[in-house]
Every structure is written in structure tokens, then in C-alpha cells.
Amino acid sequence: MKTSNSGIVLLAKRPGRTSFSSLFTIKKALHTKKVGHTGTLDSFASGLLVVCTGSLTRLSSRITAFDKSYEAVICFGKETDTLDPCGEVVRTAELPTFSQFKKSLEKFSGKIMQAPPAFSAIHVNGHRASELARSGNVVQLPKRPVFVYKTELKEIQFDDGTAFSSEVFAYSADCPDFAGRKVLYARVMFEVSSGTYIRSLARDIGIDCSSAAFLAGLLRTTVGKFQLQDAAGYSFLPDFSIKNVVESLEIQKSENSGNDESDRILLEEIPAKLNFMTPELAEDCGFFSVVLLKKYEFQFFNGRPLNFKFFKNFTENPDFSVSGGEKEVQFAVFSEENVFCGIINMNKGRLYYGYVVPKAVEV
């Protein structure tokens, strides 16, 4: 059996827990100290964490750059300094009408300019913006381009407490006229580019519809081709709805000690769901795959200058042009026994090493 703990773990983070404690759970389950996250989630948020372990931690920055999908619950009428439920209210405004909200939501599509939250990990003059903001400094981060590929309204709750799913208000011929009703909460699905802040989207949508808003709840559902439903702990996630998010806001949750039955099951589930690097997983990570011929393994693992003849696929696959181009291409290297050996790069028709890893130990 494989004893390597190098791989990719998909973990479903529960609300009320920090991403740091979730990484500790993975370290404990896999008996390793070497893990690399590919984008954390705030403690109030839930959903997909993609975590690289062992030698695959070098892939963390690549996966961080993937597009992502979220479901978000936006609360209207208030804006907090952190733009989430953990902050202090800094502004209040009238609730928007359904018509105002819908028109504003439709504007936030395609390429937009977005100012990141003051409470964020972005560095300003060598300090995190969040550290400066907590110290009482005024932090104004410049706008930057992001891309919103898709926006879909899933659920709405009006100020009288009535709630409707998108199927009702979009398709039912019997539904009432919602246009002038006041919106208190909205659950929205966003597909966005890397670097997009959903907290900022909530703030900007609130401003655009002449109101105020903050992000009350967040669920990350995809990172690139990785899906939340494939993650360890997915069965422990509560249904993501306005009702459940609002109830969680009313109950102040402390960090779970990790001694409940669900954590015991999770410690067993993580090793079972550890994804070892395969050509299929390499494709999900955005790599091409090549096979290292056995007679050239010595040269490869000892850092000898790379040659196209080392690899079977370069001569058999016409898509891998040895003439090259201006754009760098990365390849995942596998042995003839399908063991992951490392990453190589091709640029302008030349090959060079990304990194090399030893073969997984078999016992």
C-alpha cells in the first residue's frame, strides 16, 4: 500500500471553525506537518478547502489562482467595518425594493473594478491591511479588475419574514408582485475569478441599490474543477439557506474543541479521501501529463539536462510541440508505473525542471 502522505485533500469546512483548525485536523489525520492551503475561508464561512500535503504543497499557489464558485447570503440595511457578521455596524440605510435589488445584481457581471475590503490579507507598505485597520488606521485599497462569470439569485427573504426560492418568484404564474417589496436577505450564487472578494460584492451591491449590505453567510462550492460534494466532511455541513444562516447569526458559536463524534469520523475520512497525484488529477490542476521512460529515470532523478527523448508522450502526442512558443507550459511527469515524479516546464522549445519528487514508497 502507499505510505506517502503527499496529495490533495478536499475538506468541507464547517461554519464557526477557522481554516487554521481545519488544517490542524488534516495534519492530525495524515500524520504530517507539511500542508499548504490554497485559499482560506473566514470562520463564519463554510465550504470547500483544497489543501495540498507533502511534496504537493508546491502546487498550492497554482490552485489558489483557480476560478471559484460561492453561494452567499447578503443582509441589507446595514454595513459593517469588516463587511461580514463579525464586524461593527458602521452604516445603516433603508432596505432596497426587490426591483432595485434585481437591477443592481444584474450590473455585477463580467469584468468589474473592485476595491478589496480594508479587513483583508492584502499587504500595504509591508503590513496586512487587516492589521492596519484593527489599529485604527484608515485603509483605502485601490480598485482592481476582477471577473464575475455568472450570478444567479437563489432565494429571497422580505422584511416581513416571508421567503421564496428562485423557482417561485422567477417561474410561478401565481406568485405575488414582488417589485415594491423590501428585501432583507438574498441568497446569490457567484462564479468569479481568483482574487474576487464576495464581501466587497455584497457591499457594492448594497450601495448600488441605494441601501447598505454585508455578507451574512458564505459557502464555497467549487475551486477550479474541485467540487464541494467530493470533500471529506461534506455530510456534516448544514443546508445552506437564509434560514440557517440567520439562525447561526443569532447564536454566537465558539470554536469547537474537536472531540465530538463528527470529528472522529472526519479523521478517518480524510486519509480515505486523500487524492494522490494521477494524470486525471494533474489535468484537474491544469497540467499536461507526460510519461518518463524507465531507461531515463536515472538521468531525471539526478538532475541531468532534460531532453525530449526522456518522455514518451512528446513523440506520440502532436499537441506537445517541441518547437514551443512564447508561453510557458507545465507538465506533470509520471513513471511508466504511473507514479508521480515531478513537474517540468517547457518554454521556447526548451525543457527545464520545476521540481522532482521521489517515488511513493511501497510496502
PDB file of all heavy atoms in Angstrom, residues 156-164 181:
ATOM      1  N   ILE A 156     -34.823  34.585  -1.640  1.00  0.00           N
ATOM      2  CA  ILE A 156     -35.052  35.949  -1.169  1.00  0.00           C
ATOM      3  C   ILE A 156     -35.878  35.919   0.104  1.00  0.00           C
ATOM      4  O   ILE A 156     -36.730  35.037   0.277  1.00  0.00           O
ATOM      5  CB  ILE A 156     -35.770  36.789  -2.256  1.00  0.00           C
ATOM      6  CG1 ILE A 156     -35.497  38.283  -2.073  1.00  0.00           C
ATOM      7  CG2 ILE A 156     -37.250  36.498  -2.308  1.00  0.00           C
ATOM      8  CD1 ILE A 156     -34.226  38.724  -2.713  1.00  0.00           C
ATOM      9  N   GLN A 157     -35.602  36.833   1.045  1.00  0.00           N
ATOM     10  CA  GLN A 157     -36.455  36.997   2.226  1.00  0.00           C
ATOM     11  C   GLN A 157     -36.778  38.471   2.374  1.00  0.00           C
ATOM     12  O   GLN A 157     -35.886  39.321   2.382  1.00  0.00           O
ATOM     13  CB  GLN A 157     -35.774  36.488   3.493  1.00  0.00           C
ATOM     14  CG  GLN A 157     -36.662  36.629   4.732  1.00  0.00           C
ATOM     15  CD  GLN A 157     -36.042  36.014   5.970  1.00  0.00           C
ATOM     16  OE1 GLN A 157     -35.502  34.917   5.928  1.00  0.00           O
ATOM     17  NE2 GLN A 157     -36.117  36.738   7.083  1.00  0.00           N
ATOM     18  N   PHE A 158     -38.071  38.765   2.493  1.00  0.00           N
ATOM     19  CA  PHE A 158     -38.520  40.152   2.613  1.00  0.00           C
ATOM     20  C   PHE A 158     -38.570  40.570   4.075  1.00  0.00           C
ATOM     21  O   PHE A 158     -38.420  39.749   4.993  1.00  0.00           O
ATOM     22  CB  PHE A 158     -39.876  40.321   1.942  1.00  0.00           C
ATOM     23  CG  PHE A 158     -39.825  40.081   0.459  1.00  0.00           C
ATOM     24  CD1 PHE A 158     -40.450  38.980  -0.108  1.00  0.00           C
ATOM     25  CD2 PHE A 158     -39.134  40.940  -0.385  1.00  0.00           C
ATOM     26  CE1 PHE A 158     -40.406  38.737  -1.471  1.00  0.00           C
ATOM     27  CE2 PHE A 158     -39.076  40.718  -1.742  1.00  0.00           C
ATOM     28  CZ  PHE A 158     -39.714  39.610  -2.299  1.00  0.00           C
ATOM     29  N   ASP A 159     -38.809  41.857   4.305  1.00  0.00           N
ATOM     30  CA  ASP A 159     -38.754  42.389   5.666  1.00  0.00           C
ATOM     31  C   ASP A 159     -39.878  41.884   6.551  1.00  0.00           C
ATOM     32  O   ASP A 159     -39.810  42.011   7.775  1.00  0.00           O
ATOM     33  CB  ASP A 159     -38.732  43.917   5.656  1.00  0.00           C
ATOM     34  CG  ASP A 159     -39.947  44.528   4.970  1.00  0.00           C
ATOM     35  OD1 ASP A 159     -40.676  43.785   4.266  1.00  0.00           O
ATOM     36  OD2 ASP A 159     -40.169  45.741   5.119  1.00  0.00           O
ATOM     37  N   ASP A 160     -40.926  41.300   5.954  1.00  0.00           N
ATOM     38  CA  ASP A 160     -41.996  40.735   6.775  1.00  0.00           C
ATOM     39  C   ASP A 160     -41.729  39.283   7.156  1.00  0.00           C
ATOM     40  O   ASP A 160     -42.574  38.629   7.778  1.00  0.00           O
ATOM     41  CB  ASP A 160     -43.342  40.838   6.045  1.00  0.00           C
ATOM     42  CG  ASP A 160     -43.367  40.050   4.738  1.00  0.00           C
ATOM     43  OD1 ASP A 160     -42.346  39.411   4.393  1.00  0.00           O
ATOM     44  OD2 ASP A 160     -44.403  40.088   4.042  1.00  0.00           O
ATOM     45  N   GLY A 161     -40.565  38.766   6.783  1.00  0.00           N
ATOM     46  CA  GLY A 161     -40.186  37.409   7.154  1.00  0.00           C
ATOM     47  C   GLY A 161     -40.511  36.349   6.123  1.00  0.00           C
ATOM     48  O   GLY A 161     -40.060  35.204   6.262  1.00  0.00           O
ATOM     49  N   THR A 162     -41.294  36.681   5.116  1.00  0.00           N
ATOM     50  CA  THR A 162     -41.624  35.692   4.096  1.00  0.00           C
ATOM     51  C   THR A 162     -40.423  35.464   3.186  1.00  0.00           C
ATOM     52  O   THR A 162     -39.681  36.393   2.852  1.00  0.00           O
ATOM     53  CB  THR A 162     -42.822  36.138   3.245  1.00  0.00           C
ATOM     54  OG1 THR A 162     -42.536  37.409   2.657  1.00  0.00           O
ATOM     55  CG2 THR A 162     -44.071  36.241   4.106  1.00  0.00           C
ATOM     56  N   ALA A 163     -40.214  34.205   2.797  1.00  0.00           N
ATOM     57  CA  ALA A 163     -39.075  33.832   1.964  1.00  0.00           C
ATOM     58  C   ALA A 163     -39.552  33.020   0.772  1.00  0.00           C
ATOM     59  O   ALA A 163     -40.533  32.265   0.858  1.00  0.00           O
ATOM     60  CB  ALA A 163     -38.059  33.037   2.781  1.00  0.00           C
ATOM     61  N   PHE A 164     -38.856  33.185  -0.343  1.00  0.00           N
ATOM     62  CA  PHE A 164     -39.218  32.492  -1.569  1.00  0.00           C
ATOM     63  C   PHE A 164     -37.954  32.019  -2.279  1.00  0.00           C
ATOM     64  O   PHE A 164     -36.935  32.699  -2.287  1.00  0.00           O
ATOM     65  CB  PHE A 164     -40.004  33.402  -2.515  1.00  0.00           C
ATOM     66  CG  PHE A 164     -41.287  33.931  -1.923  1.00  0.00           C
ATOM     67  CD1 PHE A 164     -41.300  35.124  -1.218  1.00  0.00           C
ATOM     68  CD2 PHE A 164     -42.471  33.223  -2.061  1.00  0.00           C
ATOM     69  CE1 PHE A 164     -42.467  35.609  -0.670  1.00  0.00           C
ATOM     70  CE2 PHE A 164     -43.641  33.702  -1.513  1.00  0.00           C
ATOM     71  CZ  PHE A 164     -43.651  34.899  -0.812  1.00  0.00           C
ATOM     72  N   ARG A 181     -41.640  45.260  -2.853  1.00  0.00           N
ATOM     73  CA  ARG A 181     -41.413  44.726  -1.507  1.00  0.00           C
ATOM     74  C   ARG A 181     -39.960  44.917  -1.094  1.00  0.00           C
ATOM     75  O   ARG A 181     -39.045  44.913  -1.910  1.00  0.00           O
ATOM     76  CB  ARG A 181     -41.806  43.253  -1.451  1.00  0.00           C
ATOM     77  CG  ARG A 181     -43.277  43.022  -1.788  1.00  0.00           C
ATOM     78  CD  ARG A 181     -43.668  41.570  -1.648  1.00  0.00           C
ATOM     79  NE  ARG A 181     -43.617  41.120  -0.249  1.00  0.00           N
ATOM     80  CZ  ARG A 181     -43.976  39.896   0.140  1.00  0.00           C
ATOM     81  NH1 ARG A 181     -44.395  39.003  -0.773  1.00  0.00           N
ATOM     82  NH2 ARG A 181     -43.926  39.555   1.399  1.00  0.00           N
TER      83      ARG A 181
END
